[in-house]
Amino acid sequence: MDFFLISLVFLFALGIFLSLFFLFSVNKSGETLPPGRTGLPVIGESIEFLATGWKGHPEKFIFDRMTKYSSNVFRTSLLGEKAAVFCGASGNKFLFSNENKLVEAWWPASVDKIFPSSNGSSKEEAIKMRKMLPNFFKPEALKQYVGVMDHITQRHFASGWENNNEVVVFPLTKRYTFWLACRLFVSIEDPNHVDKFADPFDSLASGLISLPIDLPGTPFNRAIKASNFIRKELHDIIKQRKIDLAEGKASPTQDILSYMLLTSDEDGKFMAELDIADKILGLLIGGHDTASSACTFIVKYLAELPEIYEGVYKGKSSTLPYLYPFNQFSFIYAY
């Protein structure tokens, strides 16, 4: 009897909660919303979205809703935030031709917990970075890093590719691009020092696209802890670099860290140490999977299209000494 009464009370409370949720979730502005659904309260459709990624087919979430709702745009709710998903060439053209006009860059509130900027939101910090970095990435500025990149590339192939009959491409390219980023951003070149950051960055990357539930053991909680660890390590590196620059032991142009320490904004203000740590952390995580995925697909398509590979291999210049004959390897493209 007690169990029956408890069940009735629970169902009554659940009914009231759902009624209030749908009552206050109705679009009262009179605007026409794209077709679609927002799923469960708070969670939305995050579980379906993440499940397709875990199964190795993240595009299925998009294609299923394009078929069901619209091939141009549909609405959903992901990671605690309502969203409209633009699809196809026309949707991308609209999005990128109207940036800061009809649409603007935006991050879920959960991202600010992982990347806690000292001043303002992550959106505001992204705008500051866009204004600061173009000078660093000018062709004449990048020329000095070609030799450094070639040196890292040779060491990477020697340690991870040579004398192997089979290579797992994606983990290798992730290690390679992360090693390059550590060297070009903060002048960390020692593989052991790079490895010290590798596992926390894997936790950070995994937790970025996860349910924003900050409980012990969750991917989101591990991402916050990893972020705090990396920021502390970066802060120590930054303090030492300031000393080295003052004593002439470091070059003003040796990496992005020196550039940030010595570059002021339009008001003549220099960034605080914690701000710089946040910026470098964002740059490192931004290139953690994207560049390595691109490298992996280049290897994949060159291996699958031998006539294209032969043309590239025969036309290589002296600056590309490590373009291997792919018939030496069997590849596993592990994601």
Side-chain angles (χ1 to χ4, degrees):
M1 186 68 177
D2 289 341
F3 176 77
F4 178 72
L5 289 174
I6 292 172
S7 300
L8 281 179
V9 171
F10 174 76
L11 291 174
F12 178 72
L14 180 63
I16 292 176
F17 172 76
L18 292 175
S19 299
L20 290 172
F21 172 77
F22 287 114
L23 176 65
F24 289 104
S25 296
V26 172
N27 178 34
K28 298 180 180 180
S29 64
E31 298 174 352
T32 302
L33 296 176
R37 59 188 291 269
T38 53
L40 297 171
V42 183
I43 295 175
E45 295 189 296
S46 301
I47 294 176
E48 297 96 315
F49 172 68
L50 295 172
T52 56
W54 293 330
K55 294 175 182 177
H57 301 284
E59 71 282 358
K60 186 177 185 299
F61 179 87
I62 303 295
F63 291 151
D64 286 352
R65 282 151 184 78
M66 289 175 65
T67 302
K68 185 175 182 179
Y69 299 119
S70 169
S71 60
N72 296 317
V73 60
F74 64 85
R75 64 186 168 96
T76 183
S77 178
L78 300 172
L79 309 179
E81 302 282 355
K82 294 178 180 178
V85 179
F86 289 84
C87 313
S90 59
N92 280 277
K93 180 179 179 181
F94 170 82
L95 207 59
F96 291 110
S97 61
N98 287 288
E99 187 175 6
N100 296 323
K101 298 175 185 176
L102 300 177
V103 296
E104 62 180 20
W106 164 87
W107 290 95
S110 59
V111 172
D112 284 325
K113 292 185 178 181
I114 298 177
F115 297 102
S117 299
S118 301
N119 296 305
S121 67
S122 46
K123 181 182 74 175
E124 294 169 343
E125 299 304 312
I127 293 173
K128 291 180 182 178
M129 287 295 291
R130 286 188 181 184
K131 292 180 179 179
M132 171 178 289
L133 289 180
N135 289 330
F136 183 85
F137 289 116
K138 286 181 178 178
E140 55 270 23
L142 291 175
K143 285 180 182 178
Q144 63 179 311
Y145 301 112
V146 172
V148 173
M149 295 171 70
D150 182 62
H151 174 65
I152 296 294
T153 302
Q154 293 183 36
R155 293 180 63 183
H156 168 73
F157 277 121
S159 63
W161 292 65
E162 288 181 359
N163 303 317
N164 288 312
N165 294 323
E166 181 180 272
V167 290
V168 184
V169 179
F170 190 51
L172 280 172
T173 57
K174 283 177 69 173
R175 187 174 188 279
Y176 167 61
T177 55
F178 187 59
W179 192 357
L180 270 181
C182 287
R183 171 58 186 85
L184 297 178
F185 293 171
V186 290
S187 292
I188 295 176
E189 190 170 331
D190 179 12
N192 294 325
H193 200 172
V194 173
D195 289 342
K196 182 180 180 181
F197 286 97
D199 288 339
F201 263 96
D202 286 339
S203 298
L204 181 52
S206 299
L208 269 178
I209 307 299
S210 65
L211 292 174
I213 301 173
D214 188 8
L215 293 175
T218 62
F220 188 70
N221 179 264
R222 288 196 294 268
I224 293 174
K225 290 181 178 178
S227 173
N228 292 335
F229 169 79
I230 297 167
R231 290 173 74 239
K232 181 181 181 301
E233 293 292 318
L234 289 173
H235 191 211
D236 292 341
I237 293 171
I238 291 165
K239 289 193 294 185
Q240 184 60 47
R241 177 63 59 82
K242 290 180 75 173
I243 295 172
D244 291 344
L245 285 169
E247 296 177 353
K249 297 178 181 178
S251 165
T253 59
Q254 72 182 52
D255 54 26
I256 284 183
L257 173 55
S258 287
Y259 180 80
M260 287 183 173
L261 284 169
L262 299 173
T263 303
S264 62
D265 62 17
E266 57 268 21
D267 298 323
K269 297 180 180 178
F270 293 89
M271 281 193 291
E273 293 175 359
L274 287 177
D275 287 339
I276 294 175
D278 286 339
K279 304 298 182 298
I280 292 177
L281 176 58
L283 288 172
L284 285 169
I285 199 65
H288 190 242
D289 283 337
T290 51
S292 51
S293 297
C295 289
T296 300
F297 278 113
I298 289 172
V299 173
K300 169 182 168 63
Y301 290 125
L302 286 176
E304 292 177 349
L305 302 168
E307 68 281 7
I308 302 297
Y309 173 78
E310 285 301 321
V312 175
Y313 185 70
K314 291 176 181 177
K316 71 176 183 177
S317 68
S318 59
T319 59
L320 297 172
Y322 281 85
L323 188 57
Y324 280 100
F326 281 174
N327 57 12
Q328 293 183 6
F329 303 103
S330 63
F331 295 102
I332 300 174
Y333 306 101
Y335 291 91

